[in-house]
Amino acid sequence: DTGVSQNPRHKITKRGQNVTFRCDPISEHNRLYWYRQTLGQGPEFLTYFQNEAQLEKSRLLSDRFSAERPKGSFSTLEIQRTEQGDSAMYLCASGGGPRDTQYFGPGTRLTVL
Amino acid sequence: DQQVKQNSPSLSVQEGRISILNCDYTNSMFDYFLWYKKYPAEGPTFLISISSIKDKNEDGRFTVFLNKSAKHLSLHIVPSQPGDSAVYFCAASQETSGSRLTFGEGTQLTVNP
């Protein structure tokens, strides 16, 4: 079991550019979550998928953000026209069911200059 | 609004003594609570959970206590070890919210040798 993996681990970009992050969940998990964490705060929920269906989105997820999980396996999170306020750690987690433990990946740290 | 609060940003204890981390919540619909630990440059790691039908759950050195009337939970670590030094996050979920986790701000625990 390789756990949840995320790529890239770090991303530095200029304001206005688009970025895409990838998350590979634990293989047998059908639920996949995205969270965002800023300095001094706990992770904040962004969205989650059950298999390929995106079932819930937080109001934090502006229209510049889009997430996909096309085949119910890996997921991508894209941020268009990045802003400095998007700088944060983006965390992915996976779980097997509604009350199953969510296992987190190492995160992608985004810095927008 | 901050529905899960950890009022102590930091806690320092001696090796071998008890560490007590506290968490308060405001949403009475929360019915499942978890503690995660986070080391720098890693994602949160699950420690222990408790359902609202219980008031205590124990796993080795870790015990979580839940006081529903006070909307308060605590994590006890006995005995504390230097390797326990990390940021600890309290999280909560409710059955009707699709299992999204709402996190507190975290408490930095330092265990001194």
Side-chain angles (χ1 to χ4, degrees):
Chain A
D1 177 15
T2 56
V4 179
S5 62
Q6 292 187 247
N7 289 288
R9 294 292 306 275
H10 303 274
K11 179 70 177 178
I12 299 174
T13 191
K14 293 183 178 179
R15 186 161 47 96
Q17 297 293 305
N18 299 343
V19 294
T20 300
F21 311 140
R22 175 176 170 131
C23 171
D24 288 88
I26 294 170
S27 58
E28 61 267 27
H29 285 174
N30 58 17
R31 290 191 170 217
L32 186 149
Y33 306 82
W34 286 98
Y35 292 83
R36 179 174 71 184
Q37 184 180 15
T38 54
L39 197 62
Q41 300 296 316
E44 294 175 290
F45 172 81
L46 292 177
T47 188
Y48 95 93
F49 293 84
Q50 180 164 321
N51 300 312
E52 66 275 10
Q54 188 174 17
L55 295 185
E56 189 176 354
K57 295 197 300 185
S58 162
R59 60 178 182 273
L60 292 176
L61 213 66
S62 76
D63 55 7
R64 296 185 298 106
F65 288 69
S66 63
E68 293 183 343
R69 193 181 184 199
K71 296 182 181 178
S73 57
F74 72 92
S75 176
T76 58
L77 178 67
E78 181 183 16
I79 309 174
Q80 296 183 328
R81 306 181 302 282
T82 52
E83 302 172 355
Q84 288 185 325
D86 297 330
S87 295
M89 174 74 82
Y90 289 84
L91 293 162
C92 174
S94 71
R99 290 303 197 192
D100 281 10
T101 299
Q102 293 182 28
Y103 294 90
F104 283 81
T108 295
R109 179 164 295 285
L110 173 66
T111 303
V112 182
L113 302 176
Chain B
D1 63 335
Q2 188 71 25
Q3 297 186 66
V4 178
K5 282 198 67 68
Q6 295 175 254
N7 290 313
S8 298
S10 63
L11 174 68
S12 183
V13 300
Q14 285 299 119
E15 180 178 5
R17 306 297 291 268
I18 184 171
S19 296
I20 300 176
L21 297 105
N22 293 302
C23 176
D24 297 292
Y25 62 96
T26 58
N27 187 343
S28 57
M29 297 297 290
F30 287 144
D31 59 1
Y32 192 62
F33 304 89
L34 309 90
W35 285 93
Y36 282 83
K37 152 173 100 168
K38 187 178 184 302
Y39 295 117
E42 294 183 12
T45 302
F46 170 74
L47 270 178
I48 192 169
S49 62
I50 188 167
S51 165
S52 60
I53 62 173
K54 296 187 174 182
D55 54 19
K56 177 182 173 181
N57 188 26
E58 191 172 353
D59 184 1
R61 297 186 298 115
F62 302 91
T63 303
V64 56
F65 295 91
L66 175 62
N67 182 334
K68 289 189 293 294
S69 61
K71 294 191 179 69
H72 177 83
L73 64 157
S74 60
L75 175 68
H76 293 208
I77 307 174
V78 183
S80 301
Q81 300 173 352
D84 295 330
S85 297
V87 178
Y88 288 77
F89 290 100
C90 166
S93 72
Q94 59 187 82
E95 188 172 2
T96 56
S97 72
S99 71
R100 62 155 73 181
L101 295 178
T102 301
F103 284 84
E105 307 95 322
T107 297
Q108 171 70 58
L109 173 66
T110 302
V111 180
N112 301 302

